[in-house]
Amino acid sequence: MTPPCRVFPASQLESEIQVNDDGRRRKGGKIDLSACELLSMVQYECKIDHPEASGSPVRCWPVQRWFRRCRDNRGAFTVETTMWEGKTLPVEAEKASKTS
């Protein structure tokens, strides 16, 4: 079973990543989220048009998700930043999406 995840608004992400999973302040100084490596992944959301009918078409739409790989004194950790990245992606995000 996976450990429970803390839930908070995207606007608090920068302050929330300053604390590790144990609730302790990360060692090595303040983490600058915008300086962390940007990664992307495409997943698909699919729906069956008429689930009760055999052979009904399945329609899928791509869902772009963004992550940042950061480091503290204990090593690397990854944070999903999809909502934090906002509508206008930085230039590095556009480059990452073309290479992913």
Side-chain angles (χ1 to χ4, degrees):
M1 178 181 234
T2 60
C5 295
R6 296 179 306 190
V7 178
F8 49 85
S11 60
Q12 293 178 7
L13 183 59
E14 289 181 275
S15 61
E16 289 289 331
I17 66 160
Q18 305 307 319
V19 177
N20 66 20
D21 293 334
D22 300 334
R24 296 183 178 158
R25 194 151 205 55
R26 290 191 186 275
K27 296 188 179 199
K30 186 174 179 183
I31 306 291
D32 178 6
L33 190 58
S34 62
C36 298
E37 178 185 8
L38 182 64
L39 306 166
S40 70
M41 173 176 70
V42 176
Q43 292 184 311
Y44 292 87
E45 179 179 342
C46 300
K47 295 194 177 175
I48 302 171
D49 283 352
H50 303 284
E52 67 285 346
S54 173
S56 180
V58 177
R59 301 188 193 282
C60 298
W61 298 268
V63 177
Q64 182 78 46
R65 295 178 67 188
W66 296 97
F67 300 85
R68 296 279 178 158
R69 184 179 299 139
C70 301
R71 282 188 124 358
D72 64 6
N73 283 355
R74 295 182 68 193
F77 62 96
T78 304
V79 179
E80 182 174 0
T81 59
T82 303
M83 295 296 292
W84 182 81
E85 299 297 341
K87 303 275 186 205
T88 308
L89 294 172
V91 173
E92 69 176 291
E94 291 174 16
K95 289 178 187 173
S97 67
K98 290 177 184 172
T99 60
S100 299

